Amino acid sequence: MSAERTGSGYTGDTSLPRTKCDMVDEARRCVLWGPSLVALLARPELYNGTRVRVVGFVNFEFEGNGLYLSRIDWAQSIYANGLWIDTPATQPQ
């Protein structure tokens, strides 16, 4: 699939902020959203079922895969500032 950065001709889901679309397809539909991790944690229902790209501190360990706002949030076990991550190896078949 060929995609390009969003531009003034974007047409797509109006429930999500247009400025958060990082990539569109040939039909100018958003195929990759780029919310902040805070926005994703605050309103996860907006991004349910969509591809997103976020930046944060990631930890991979048995029963503990997570993405956090910072290393300190992970070290202090502040789970409200993070989310669980399913890697391809941990996703159900």
Side-chain angles (χ1 to χ4, degrees), residues 40-83:
L40 184 61
L41 290 169
R43 300 287 311 274
E45 71 280 1
L46 288 180
Y47 301 96
N48 188 32
T50 64
R51 290 181 61 202
V52 296
R53 173 175 38 199
V54 293
V55 177
F57 177 83
V58 69
N59 178 62
F60 292 113
E61 65 180 82
F62 180 73
E63 297 290 324
N65 293 346
L67 177 65
Y68 296 88
L69 292 174
S70 70
R71 185 180 189 288
I72 293 170
D73 291 325
W74 167 76
Q76 297 295 318
S77 300
I78 304 174
Y79 301 120
N81 289 348
L83 52 92

Side-chain angles (χ1 to χ4, degrees), residues 1-4 6 10 21-26 28-33 50-52:
M1 170 186 334
S2 165
E4 59 184 272
T6 57
Y10 165 76
C21 182
D22 283 348
M23 192 177 294
V24 296
D25 63 11
E26 297 86 11
R28 311 223 24 101
R29 291 181 304 244
C30 189
V31 294
L32 181 63
W33 294 95
T50 64
R51 290 181 61 202
V52 296

